[in-house]
Amino acid sequence: MKAIGKIMLLVTFGDQNNSRTEHITFDVVDMLCNYNAIFGREVTNIFSTVLHPGYLYMKLPSAKG
């Protein structure tokens, strides 16, 4: 699948009281898919996340811990 373009968007994880926002570059593709976006290794590295797929859980550092 070839990308038809790229877009940089602000992505925020968290809630009003404790969140973190980073610029993420997405590849735009023309395909039928069940997902609007797929986050890969680059996103987990930018946000310094720790993933636990068994619990569908993701932890990341933020300003308030």
Side-chain angles (χ1 to χ4, degrees), residues 1 29-33:
M1 176 84 17
V29 295
D30 184 18
M31 66 181 277
L32 198 55
C33 185

Side-chain angles (χ1 to χ4, degrees), residues 7-65:
I7 186 169
M8 182 178 282
L9 300 171
L10 284 173
V11 174
T12 301
F13 288 118
D15 57 25
Q16 283 181 303
N17 301 322
N18 193 16
S19 64
R20 182 146 165 229
T21 302
E22 299 285 346
H23 283 91
I24 304 296
T25 302
F26 291 91
D27 292 326
V28 179
V29 295
D30 184 18
M31 66 181 277
L32 198 55
C33 185
N34 293 331
Y35 303 100
N36 292 324
I38 299 173
F39 296 127
R41 189 178 303 259
E42 180 182 355
V43 172
T44 59
N45 288 339
I46 290 171
F47 279 97
S48 302
T49 63
V50 175
L51 301 173
H52 194 298
Y55 291 111
L56 298 176
Y57 192 76
M58 178 174 72
K59 289 183 81 171
L60 60 123
S62 66
K64 295 184 181 178

